[in-house]
Amino acid sequence: MDTRLLEVFRAVARYGSITTAARQLSFTQSAVSRQIAALEAELGARVFDRLPRGVALTEEGRALLPHAEAVLDRLTAARRDLDALRGLGGGRLRVGAFPTAVAALVPRALATFREAYPDVALSLVEGTTPVLLDRLAAGDADVAVVSFSPTGPIDQARFELHHLLDERLLVAVARGHRLARRRTVRLADLTGDPFVVGSATAEETLLRASLPSGFQPRIDLVAAEWTGKLGLVAAGLGVALVPALAVRGTPADVALLRLHADDESVRRVFAATAAGRTVPPTVARFLTHLRGAAQAFRTTRR
């Protein structure tokens, strides 16, 4: 049933007059009469008795009126909710990010987004790139900040990638380390140094992807969290590769060195959304805030 017929029916029932309803709806009287006739033809029942002055609801009309009002009220509420989503006066945003992106990049974007759209409900989940992509594919996240997997590229048939930045890997050494006063180092300079890694498996993969072939780091200690890893470095128990996104949490007794251009490794960071799905207004706006945060990060790291 055309909801416009219900709107006209409700107006005529409210005013008890086709003429008054037509004036309120900015229709002609004949147009309102035709639409009431069309509604009655569709229902197979008269909804109004035509009186010398105005109209009156029939029994069938009285039965229809609460249903018509309920339908029209729900449509009004639906339009209001959709308008709120388009204007970001409501809705939700579920963000995923790999751990070092949660150190500064994503929080900055979330902070400016929340300031602009305080009525949007925010949630954040931290995880590795493969886990985050699985959540995107399952519909459990709206957008995820990910990096190219060391073991292979991201399937761009399944995911839309929005490039944010290229992140350098730095070398963390203790302030008392023999190379701590250097601005750049060669990997060959670290041949005898033990590397502190995050795990015996995942971090080994990161090292294989980050270091040139032929360089075999010596791995003595494993610390899952960055605080523990950098604590071991500060104590002089080894060196570590630190993604540039994570440098905000670097303690004062640790020096960060850049790798020589010939040894430097760059990790590409993207915002990913599920391919083939309509991008919600919340995600479209958040991507703008992510790009702004990434631009600020690039500027401060020059």
Side-chain angles (χ1 to χ4, degrees):
M1 180 180 295
D2 189 340
T3 57
R4 288 175 298 180
L5 301 181
L6 294 180
E7 290 174 352
V8 170
F9 166 70
R10 181 173 64 175
V12 174
R14 178 177 297 166
Y15 298 110
S17 167
I18 290 178
T19 302
T20 305
R23 186 165 54 248
Q24 294 297 323
L25 295 170
S26 299
F27 289 166
T28 65
Q29 182 175 340
S30 60
V32 171
S33 294
R34 286 196 302 270
Q35 291 184 71
I36 293 299
L39 176 64
E40 291 177 329
E42 184 167 343
L43 294 173
R46 292 179 65 86
V47 294
F48 291 112
D49 285 326
R50 278 64 170 175
L51 305 176
R53 291 186 178 181
V55 296
L57 286 166
T58 64
E59 192 67 23
E60 290 87 347
R62 283 191 291 271
L64 175 63
L65 183 58
H67 297 291
E69 290 178 330
V71 169
L72 294 172
D73 288 346
R74 289 297 297 271
L75 284 173
T76 298
R79 292 189 185 102
R80 185 171 57 247
D81 289 346
L82 290 173
D83 287 342
L85 285 175
R86 282 190 287 266
L88 298 199
R92 67 179 183 182
L93 177 66
R94 300 167 299 169
V95 180
F98 61 89
T100 51
V102 179
L105 175 67
V106 172
R108 288 177 185 174
L110 286 172
T112 58
F113 182 88
R114 169 161 281 174
E115 183 178 358
Y117 310 108
D119 295 324
V120 176
L122 299 178
S123 62
L124 173 67
V125 61
E126 183 180 284
T128 62
T129 288
V131 170
L132 295 174
L133 293 176
D134 285 343
R135 291 181 72 95
L136 268 181
D140 295 331
D142 301 311
V143 60
V145 177
V146 299
S147 63
F148 258 32
S149 169
T151 57
I154 297 171
D155 184 357
Q156 295 188 51
R158 298 177 63 210
F159 303 102
E160 186 79 22
L161 299 180
H162 312 265
H163 181 249
L164 296 176
L165 55 86
D166 294 333
E167 176 193 33
R168 291 184 173 89
L169 287 176
L170 308 174
V171 179
V173 301
R175 286 290 178 185
H177 192 277
R178 68 185 188 283
L179 302 175
R181 295 184 179 275
R182 300 260 297 269
R183 293 191 65 183
T184 62
V185 293
R186 297 298 302 264
L187 286 171
D189 299 331
L190 302 170
T191 301
D193 288 273
F195 276 70
V196 179
V197 299
S199 75
T201 54
E203 190 72 12
E204 187 179 355
T205 302
L206 174 62
L207 286 172
R208 285 201 303 270
S210 304
L211 303 180
S213 60
F215 182 82
Q216 295 296 327
R218 173 183 145 206
I219 299 175
D220 287 354
L221 299 172
V222 173
E225 302 294 334
W226 279 106
T227 51
K229 185 187 297 186
L230 293 175
L232 292 170
V233 170
L237 295 171
V239 301
L241 288 179
V242 178
L245 286 173
V247 301
R248 183 172 182 172
T250 304
D253 47 0
V254 170
L256 294 174
L257 315 177
R258 291 187 61 168
L259 285 167
H260 188 276
D262 292 340
D263 296 336
E264 189 175 51
S265 178
V266 174
R267 179 167 65 167
R268 305 195 74 198
V269 178
F270 299 87
T273 54
R277 297 183 189 170
T278 300
V279 176
T282 50
V283 173
R285 304 285 179 86
F286 183 63
L287 288 174
T288 300
H289 287 262
L290 270 176
R291 293 186 185 102
Q295 178 60 41
F297 177 83
R298 290 193 297 268
T299 301
T300 57
R301 294 296 179 266
R302 286 173 182 168

